[in-house]
Amino acid sequence: MRNLARVILIALFTVACVVLAQSQQKIDLIIGGGTIVTMDASRAIIKDGGIAVLGDSIVAVGPLKDIEQHYTSAQMIDARGRLVLPGFINGHTHVPMTLFRGLHDDVTLNDWLYKYIFPAEAKNVNEEFVRWGTRLAAAEQIRSGVTTFADMYYFEDAVAEESKAAGMRAVLGETFIDFPAPDNKSEAEMLSYTEKFLKRWQGDPLIEAAPAPHSIYTCSKKTLQDAAALARRYHAPILIHVAEMKKEWDDSEKEHAMSPVAYLNSIGVLGPDVIAAHCIFVDAADQKLLAEKDVGCVHNPSSNMMLASGVSPVADLRSAGVAVGLGTDGPAGSNNDLDLMEEIDLAAKLAKITKMNPLALNAKAVVEMATIDGARAIHMEKEIGSLEAGKKADLVLISLDEPNAVPMYDAYAQIAYSLKASDVETVIIGGRVVMRDHKLLTIDEPAVLEKARDYGESVEKSLGMK
Amino acid sequence: MRNLARVILIALFTVACVVLAQSQQKIDLIIGGGTIVTMDASRAIIKDGGIAVLGDSIVAVGPLKDIEQHYTSAQMIDARGRLVLPGFINGHTHVPMTLFRGLHDDVTLNDWLYKYIFPAEAKNVNEEFVRWGTRLAAAEQIRSGVTTFADMYYFEDAVAEESKAAGMRAVLGETFIDFPAPDNKSEAEMLSYTEKFLKRWQGDPLIEAAPAPHSIYTCSKKTLQDAAALARRYHAPILIHVAEMKKEWDDSEKEHAMSPVAYLNSIGVLGPDVIAAHCIFVDAADQKLLAEKDVGCVHNPSSNMMLASGVSPVADLRSAGVAVGLGTDGPAGSNNDLDLMEEIDLAAKLAKITKMNPLALNAKAVVEMATIDGARAIHMEKEIGSLEAGKKADLVLISLDEPNAVPMYDAYAQIAYSLKASDVETVIIGGRVVMRDHKLLTIDEPAVLEKARDYGESVEKSLGMK
C-alpha cells in the first residue's frame, strides 16, 4: 500500500511537471533580475523584473518569478544590479558627419557652413564616405544606448544599408535642398532617388525611408510640397528642420507674413507624419498648431547651445500637448558627439536655467523625452519607446557598478543626472543583442576606428590643412 | 692591421656608449609617445612627446627622442595614440555629498536645503560617513581625470586623510557657518578644530588645509574675518561661496549698500589667497576688484544650471584678468556627479547660448579653465596646471580608441566636446600612478561601491523613505 501511494504520488508529480512545462511558452530570450524602468502608461518601475522576448518583440514584462513561471528560454541575460530601459531614441542627427567631428568649431553657423562644411562636403562626401561615417556613428550610438535614430543626409540608401547591417532601427531622410547636393544635383534627381529609396525599404523591419526637405530657407515651396507629396504617397514620415534660427523666423515673417510653422501649415506640409527638428522659434499659436497637427518635435540642447541658436520652449510645447523628443544633431560643429544621455541631462538643466526655475523640467520628463515621447515625436510610439508586451524588444541594460552610479535614491534622477553613456552595458534591438558587456557584436570596431582616422587625414589634405 | 682597426673601433664604440649612458640621468618614470597638450605659456602641443618624472615632479618635457637621449628609467608608460594632459582641477566641490547623490532633485534650492539636505545631514553625517563619501568621490574624480580638487565640508580632517590615502592632491576647506554644523557646534569650536587642522597638514606634499567660511549670507562679519585671519596666520587659502544667488546680491545691497564682492573687500576678506566659488552676480566693478585683489573664481556650470542660480559672466571675468577655474560643485542636488570633463563641455556651450554668440568661449579657453587657469584660480599655478619642468607630475592619459574620439582634427575641440571621462585611461598624481588602464590602484573600489549602497539604504531609512 505504501509503495502504491508512493507510485501514485510520483506519477502525480510527473504529470504536474509535464503540465507546467507544457504551460510554459518557449521563447527566444529572457532578460531577468534587473530594475525595469518600463516607461509604460503608468510609468511602472519593476524591481527584480523579467522581460520575455519572442522574435523581435516583447511578449511579457513583469516580476521575474511570473515571467519564469510562464516562459522558458535557452537564452537568458542576467540583469541583476542593473537598470533595464527602453532603448534611447535619437530623434535628429546627421550620422555620416561623424567623420567631420571637430573639424572647425567655435565659429558662427554661417562661417561654419560656407567656409568649412560645404567645401569639405563637396570635396569628400561620396557613398563610401557615408558608409564609413554611418558605421562609426552606429558604434558610437549603440555604445550610448541609442537603439533608434532619425537621420537626414545624402546617399541615405547607403546609410540604410549600414544601419541595418549594424542592427539599428532608423528613420532615414534623404535630403531635398535647392542646390546641387553631393549625391543628387537637381530636384528631379532627388525625387527619383528618393522614390526608389522609399520603394526599396518598404516593409523592412528596421529601416523606415523618408524624404527630408532640409528647411524653409533652403527649399522652395515647390520642393517642400513635392517632398511631402512623395512621403504621403508611400506613407513615409517627413523630416525637416523647423524654426531653428532667428533669421528663419524674421525672413518668414517678411516673405510670408507668417511664422515658419504657420507657413509650413499654409502650404500643406504639416501633419501627423512630420518630424520637426529644433522648434526653437515657436510662439503660442505655433505650439497650438503643432499639437493640433500632431507634429513631432525634436529638441537638440547641445546643438542649440553650441551654435547659439536659441532655446526651444520645451516645457511649453509639452504643456500644449506636443510630443517632444531629444536629438544630438550632427556630430560635427554642433555637439560634437552622438551621446544621447548627455542630451537627457542637458535638456533638464537648460530648461531650468532658461526659465530660472529648477522645477522647469524634471528628471522623469527628460527620460520620457529620450524614450516614450521620443517615440511619439517620430510617430513610432506603437512600436517602441516603452517596455511592454507587443512592442519591439529594443532595450538597454545600464550598469550600476561605477562610482558615479551609487547610491541610487531615484532611478529617473540617476539616469538623467548621474549615469553616463559608458555605463550602458548591453543593448538589444528587435530582440537581437548588438552589444553585450560593452562589446559590439555587429560592427568591426577596430576597422571602423582605423578608417575614421584615415578619413581625418584625407579631409585635412583636401582642405589644405596639412 | 685590420684586426687592430676593428679592436680600436669596438673600443671607441664602447667608450661612446659608456659616456652616453653616464650622461643619461636615471629618473623614476618616462611617459612616452603620446600627443602632449602641455598648457604651458606657449600652449605647445608636442606630437610623439616624452615626459621625464623624478620623485613627484616633472624634470623635462619634449620630443620623446630628446627625452630618451637624456633620461633613463626602469618604469615607462606607453602613451602612443593617446593625449597626455595636465590633470584636471576641480575647483569647487563638497565630496562627501556623493552619498546624497540624487536624494531629492528638481526642487528649489531653499526646499532642497531646508526640507531635504539639512535634515539628511543632521541625521547621517559623521566622520565615518565623510570618510566613505570621500573615498567614493576620489574614485569618481580619478576616473574623470581630476588630480586636484578644492573641497568645502565638515570633518575636513577626515577628508584630508582619505584624499591623501587615495593619492589625490587637494585644497580642503573646513566649513565655518553660523549654526551648529555636523562636526562643530559653535564658532569657537570651528576655530579650534580648524587651527588644529591647519597645523597638522602644514608642509604636506598633497594636502593643503584651509578655512572655508560658507558665504556672506550664512556667516557674520566676525565669522568671516576670524576665518580669514586664521587662514592668513597659517598662509592658507580661504574658500568661500561668492555671489551665487540673486537674493545674496539683493540682501547685500540692502544691508551693506554694496555688492557681495564689494562687501567682502570692505571687511578685508578679499585677497590673493581667496578661492571664490560661483561669482555669478558680479558687475564690472566687482570684476575689476576681483582682478585687482587677485581672487580666484570657480565657475560651476552644471550646478548653476541645475539650481537655476544664474550664469557667471566667465568671458568678461577672463577679459578683466580674473583667473577662472571650473568646478562640479557638490554631487547632490546640483550636478549630480563629479565629472569635470562635462563641466569643460558645458562651460563653452553655456557661455555661447547665454551670449547668443558661438564665439563667446572656445574649446581652448575651457581646457585652460580646467587646467592652468584652474591652477591660477586655486593659487597653485606654480605647482600644477601645466606639463613643464619643475611642476608636479600630475597628468592624465586619454585614450583615443573609442568611436567618439575619432577622427581628431583639433585636440582642444576633442577634449572639450567629444572626449568623455570614460576615455581617461591612466592618471598620475605627484609621480604616483593612481589609475592604470582604467584600474584604480589606490582605492578598493568594490568595497567603496558596496558601502555607498549601504549608506543609501540607511539614509532612506533615516528619512522615513522606506
Side-chain angles (χ1 to χ4, degrees):
Chain A
M1 270 308 283
R2 215 184 287 169
N3 272 352
L4 182 63
R6 192 179 294 168
V7 167
I8 289 171
L9 270 173
I10 288 170
L12 280 172
F13 179 74
T14 308
V15 168
C17 287
V18 168
V19 168
L20 186 65
Q22 282 179 338
S23 76
Q24 272 188 313
Q25 190 189 341
K26 264 201 184 162
I27 54 168
D28 295 321
L29 171 65
I30 292 175
I31 297 113
T35 297
I36 305 179
V37 182
T38 64
M39 304 311 291
D40 68 7
S42 70
R43 302 291 184 260
I45 293 182
I46 306 167
K47 287 198 176 174
D48 200 17
I51 299 174
V53 175
L54 180 64
D56 68 354
S57 297
I58 295 169
V59 288
V61 179
L64 180 57
K65 61 178 189 341
D66 295 354
I67 297 295
E68 284 180 331
Q69 203 182 329
H70 295 100
Y71 301 95
T72 178
S73 168
Q75 199 191 352
M76 289 277 302
I77 290 181
D78 184 357
R80 277 175 298 178
R82 286 147 183 93
L83 289 179
V84 184
L85 271 97
F88 298 125
I89 296 163
N90 185 359
H92 178 63
T93 184
H94 313 282
V95 290
M97 296 186 83
T98 41
L99 296 176
F100 293 132
R101 179 200 315 279
L103 181 58
H104 271 285
D105 299 311
D106 307 318
V107 295
T108 65
L109 179 59
N110 205 62
D111 276 2
W112 183 71
L113 286 174
Y114 291 93
K115 279 197 194 163
Y116 304 114
I117 277 301
F118 288 157
E121 285 185 335
K123 283 175 181 156
N124 293 283
V125 174
N126 55 33
E127 198 185 291
E128 193 66 6
F129 178 101
V130 162
R131 284 189 189 282
W132 285 104
T134 303
R135 288 174 192 146
L136 179 61
E140 192 181 352
Q141 291 197 94
I142 291 171
R143 287 205 168 281
S144 79
V146 171
T147 54
T148 297
F149 67 99
D151 194 67
M152 296 170 73
Y153 207 60
Y154 312 109
F155 300 103
E156 208 67 27
D157 194 58
V159 176
E161 286 183 357
E162 298 306 327
S163 301
K164 191 176 168 73
M168 293 198 78
R169 195 178 306 284
V171 182
L172 303 175
E174 170 64 22
T175 299
F176 283 68
I177 198 161
D178 285 351
F179 58 75
D183 51 356
N184 301 306
K185 304 304 172 195
S186 67
E187 202 212 333
E189 276 180 53
M190 289 169 196
L191 278 166
S192 144
Y193 177 103
T194 307
E195 182 154 19
K196 223 185 297 171
F197 174 53
L198 292 170
K199 273 188 189 162
R200 177 178 175 195
W201 294 96
Q202 281 212 315
D204 189 89
L206 287 175
I207 302 299
E208 190 162 16
H214 179 272
S215 64
I216 64 165
Y217 57 92
T218 51
C219 293
S220 70
K221 178 179 158 187
K222 179 177 182 311
T223 305
L224 293 168
Q225 289 178 325
D226 288 351
L230 180 64
R232 279 154 191 167
R233 207 150 62 242
Y234 288 89
H235 307 288
I238 300 159
L239 284 72
I240 183 167
H241 297 93
V242 176
E244 182 181 2
M245 286 176 292
K246 183 67 167 55
K247 189 175 185 308
E248 180 182 349
W249 171 283
D250 292 342
D251 289 350
S252 179
E253 287 286 344
K254 214 179 296 171
E255 284 170 42
H256 313 297
M258 275 181 276
S259 71
V261 167
Y263 168 66
L264 283 169
N265 189 51
S266 75
I267 64 170
V269 171
L270 288 200
D273 42 10
V274 172
I275 304 170
H278 300 296
C279 299
I280 294 171
F281 298 94
V282 288
D283 62 17
D286 291 335
Q287 292 167 27
K288 194 161 165 274
L289 194 52
L290 290 166
E292 277 169 13
K293 293 285 172 176
D294 203 12
V295 172
C297 292
V298 180
H299 176 45
N300 302 267
S302 278
S303 166
N304 300 162
M305 293 176 82
M306 182 114 164
L307 295 170
S309 309
V311 181
S312 174
V314 170
D316 300 338
L317 283 164
R318 284 169 58 93
S319 299
V322 181
V324 185
L326 281 176
T328 57
D329 206 346
S334 58
N335 193 316
N336 293 341
D337 56 52
L338 296 171
D339 180 348
L340 201 82
M341 291 189 77
E342 283 191 356
E343 306 301 323
I344 298 175
D345 179 268
L346 213 43
K349 287 175 180 163
L350 182 60
K352 290 168 195 289
I353 189 67
T354 306
K355 300 269 184 187
M356 284 299 276
N357 177 5
L359 284 65
L361 203 62
N362 64 23
K364 192 173 169 191
V366 289
V367 175
E368 287 170 349
M369 290 169 70
T371 56
I372 186 63
D373 285 354
R376 287 173 59 213
I378 64 169
H379 312 293
M380 291 179 73
E381 70 274 19
K382 285 183 187 144
E383 294 170 63
I384 57 172
S386 59
L387 299 179
E388 37 194 330
K391 285 209 175 175
K392 299 299 177 193
D394 290 9
L395 54 96
V396 298
L397 274 69
I398 303 185
S399 164
L400 299 171
D401 261 342
E402 290 286 331
N404 57 289
V406 293
M408 185 170 82
Y409 295 100
D410 177 272
Y412 296 118
Q414 213 79 346
I415 297 161
Y417 305 130
S418 302
L419 293 166
K420 309 290 162 200
S422 51
D423 298 316
V424 175
E425 194 179 70
T426 292
V427 176
I428 298 168
I429 305 176
R432 180 184 182 194
V433 184
V434 297
M435 183 167 81
R436 181 91 189 241
D437 296 333
H438 300 282
K439 169 103 187 96
L440 295 176
L441 303 179
T442 56
I443 298 164
D444 180 352
E445 199 173 24
V448 170
L449 296 184
E450 198 188 325
K451 199 75 184 178
R453 291 189 191 103
D454 292 348
Y455 269 109
E457 300 262 335
S458 66
V459 167
E460 285 189 331
K461 268 181 212 151
S462 80
L463 299 174
M465 292 164 66
K466 277 211 164 173
Chain B
M1 274 306 284
R2 214 183 288 170
N3 274 352
L4 181 64
R6 191 179 295 165
V7 167
I8 289 170
L9 272 173
I10 289 170
L12 282 172
F13 181 73
T14 308
V15 168
C17 286
V18 168
V19 169
L20 187 66
Q22 282 178 334
S23 75
Q24 273 187 316
Q25 190 190 341
K26 264 201 184 162
I27 53 168
D28 295 321
L29 172 65
I30 292 175
I31 297 114
T35 297
I36 305 178
V37 182
T38 64
M39 304 310 291
D40 67 6
S42 70
R43 302 292 184 261
I45 294 181
I46 306 167
K47 288 200 175 171
D48 201 17
I51 299 174
V53 176
L54 180 64
D56 69 354
S57 298
I58 295 169
V59 288
V61 180
L64 180 57
K65 62 176 186 343
D66 295 352
I67 297 295
E68 284 181 329
Q69 204 182 326
H70 294 100
Y71 300 95
T72 178
S73 167
Q75 199 191 353
M76 291 276 303
I77 290 182
D78 185 358
R80 277 175 299 178
R82 284 146 183 94
L83 289 180
V84 184
L85 271 96
F88 299 125
I89 296 163
N90 185 0
H92 179 63
T93 184
H94 312 282
V95 291
M97 296 187 82
T98 41
L99 296 176
F100 293 132
R101 182 201 312 281
L103 180 58
H104 271 285
D105 299 312
D106 306 318
V107 294
T108 64
L109 179 59
N110 204 61
D111 276 1
W112 184 72
L113 286 174
Y114 292 93
K115 280 199 194 163
Y116 304 113
I117 278 299
F118 289 157
E121 286 186 334
K123 283 178 181 154
N124 294 282
V125 174
N126 54 32
E127 198 186 291
E128 192 66 6
F129 178 100
V130 161
R131 285 189 188 281
W132 284 104
T134 302
R135 288 173 192 148
L136 179 60
E140 192 180 353
Q141 292 198 92
I142 291 171
R143 286 206 167 281
S144 79
V146 171
T147 53
T148 298
F149 67 101
D151 195 66
M152 296 171 72
Y153 207 59
Y154 312 110
F155 300 102
E156 207 68 28
D157 193 58
V159 176
E161 286 182 357
E162 297 307 327
S163 300
K164 191 176 168 72
M168 293 198 78
R169 196 179 304 286
V171 182
L172 303 175
E174 170 65 23
T175 298
F176 283 69
I177 197 160
D178 286 350
F179 57 74
D183 49 356
N184 301 306
K185 304 303 171 196
S186 67
E187 203 213 333
E189 276 181 53
M190 289 167 197
L191 279 166
S192 144
Y193 177 102
T194 307
E195 182 155 17
K196 222 185 299 172
F197 175 51
L198 291 171
K199 273 188 191 161
R200 177 177 176 196
W201 295 96
Q202 280 211 316
D204 190 89
L206 287 174
I207 303 299
E208 191 162 17
H214 179 272
S215 65
I216 64 166
Y217 57 92
T218 51
C219 293
S220 69
K221 179 179 156 189
K222 180 178 181 309
T223 306
L224 293 168
Q225 289 178 325
D226 288 351
L230 180 65
R232 281 159 190 164
R233 206 150 64 239
Y234 288 88
H235 306 288
I238 300 159
L239 285 74
I240 182 166
H241 297 93
V242 176
E244 182 180 3
M245 287 177 291
K246 183 67 168 56
K247 188 174 185 311
E248 181 183 348
W249 170 284
D250 292 343
D251 290 351
S252 179
E253 287 286 345
K254 214 179 295 169
E255 284 170 43
H256 313 297
M258 275 181 276
S259 72
V261 168
Y263 169 65
L264 283 169
N265 188 51
S266 76
I267 63 169
V269 170
L270 288 201
D273 42 11
V274 171
I275 305 170
H278 301 297
C279 298
I280 294 171
F281 297 96
V282 287
D283 63 17
D286 291 335
Q287 292 167 25
K288 196 162 162 275
L289 194 52
L290 290 166
E292 276 170 13
K293 292 286 172 177
D294 204 13
V295 172
C297 293
V298 180
H299 176 45
N300 302 269
S302 278
S303 166
N304 300 161
M305 294 177 81
M306 183 114 164
L307 295 170
S309 309
V311 180
S312 173
V314 170
D316 300 337
L317 283 165
R318 285 169 58 93
S319 300
V322 180
V324 186
L326 282 175
T328 57
D329 207 345
S334 59
N335 192 318
N336 293 342
D337 57 51
L338 295 171
D339 180 348
L340 201 82
M341 291 189 77
E342 283 190 357
E343 306 302 323
I344 298 176
D345 180 270
L346 214 42
K349 287 174 179 163
L350 182 59
K352 290 169 195 287
I353 188 68
T354 306
K355 299 269 183 187
M356 284 300 275
N357 177 5
L359 283 65
L361 203 62
N362 65 23
K364 193 174 168 189
V366 290
V367 175
E368 287 170 349
M369 290 169 70
T371 55
I372 186 64
D373 284 354
R376 287 174 58 213
I378 62 168
H379 312 295
M380 292 180 73
E381 70 274 19
K382 284 181 188 147
E383 294 170 62
I384 58 171
S386 60
L387 300 178
E388 38 194 330
K391 286 208 175 176
K392 299 297 179 196
D394 289 10
L395 54 96
V396 298
L397 274 70
I398 303 185
S399 164
L400 299 170
D401 261 342
E402 290 286 331
N404 57 288
V406 293
M408 183 171 82
Y409 295 100
D410 178 272
Y412 295 117
Q414 214 77 348
I415 297 161
Y417 305 130
S418 302
L419 294 167
K420 309 289 163 202
S422 51
D423 298 316
V424 175
E425 195 179 71
T426 292
V427 176
I428 298 167
I429 306 176
R432 180 183 183 194
V433 184
V434 297
M435 182 168 82
R436 182 88 188 243
D437 296 333
H438 300 281
K439 169 102 185 95
L440 295 176
L441 304 179
T442 56
I443 298 163
D444 180 352
E445 199 172 24
V448 170
L449 296 184
E450 199 188 323
K451 198 75 186 181
R453 290 188 192 103
D454 291 348
Y455 269 109
E457 300 262 336
S458 65
V459 167
E460 285 188 333
K461 268 181 213 151
S462 78
L463 299 174
M465 291 164 67
K466 276 214 161 164

